[in-house]
Amino acid sequence: TRLGHRAGRFLGSLFPHNAQFQGRQVATFHNQRDFIFVRHHRYVFEEGREINKENGKKKTKARLQELGPRFTMKMRWLQEGTFDTQFGEYEWFHKRKEMDTTRRKFHM
């Protein structure tokens, strides 16, 4: 939905975009069923036992290792502009009694 894309763009803007990134750690934000799941992983490269027939070198395998912390968030409101609880304008607000009537309808 539009709200899910907006939340994804918001969370993506928290981290700098660098095409020549050399690090091995990554943060994952996964939006599913009105929840945002956050995971922290590290890339691990290991030399395999198999030898590549073309160049004679050992094949390198990559895997993900979960570091933590692992947590889940549910969006309660989306506020436009700077944070101001008293006079701020809300783009979206979670209304519990109206929106949580069925488990089959999702808003993000």
Side-chain angles (χ1 to χ4, degrees):
T1 61
R2 289 181 61 203
L3 180 62
H5 287 285
R6 178 113 164 100
R9 296 275 299 168
F10 169 71
L11 292 170
S13 69
L14 295 176
F15 298 94
H17 298 280
N18 185 2
Q20 305 300 325
F21 183 66
Q22 295 291 324
R24 293 190 176 189
Q25 294 185 10
V26 62
T28 305
F29 296 93
H30 177 69
N31 177 8
Q32 182 181 8
R33 294 180 168 251
D34 286 347
F35 290 96
I36 300 170
F37 299 94
V38 181
R39 303 290 184 263
H40 185 211
H41 293 93
R42 177 174 61 190
Y43 288 105
V44 178
F45 297 100
E46 299 172 340
E47 285 189 7
R49 296 180 189 160
E50 299 176 18
I51 296 176
N52 193 349
K53 295 177 183 177
E54 296 176 6
N55 56 13
K57 295 182 180 178
K58 291 184 178 180
K59 290 184 178 179
T60 304
K61 294 183 178 181
R63 66 179 177 89
L64 285 176
Q65 179 183 20
E66 189 169 349
L67 299 175
R70 173 196 301 191
F71 56 93
T72 305
M73 300 184 289
K74 182 163 184 153
M75 187 179 296
R76 296 178 61 194
W77 67 79
L78 183 63
Q79 193 171 9
E80 191 173 328
T82 57
F83 181 70
D84 185 12
T85 55
Q86 193 172 15
F87 300 110
E89 290 185 39
Y90 292 95
E91 284 185 39
W92 180 81
F93 194 86
H94 182 78
K95 302 171 191 137
R96 282 181 50 200
K97 299 204 185 237
E98 296 174 21
M99 294 179 156
D100 291 341
T101 56
T102 179
R103 289 187 167 189
R104 292 192 172 102
K105 185 174 180 185
F106 304 111
H107 306 283
M108 281 184 53

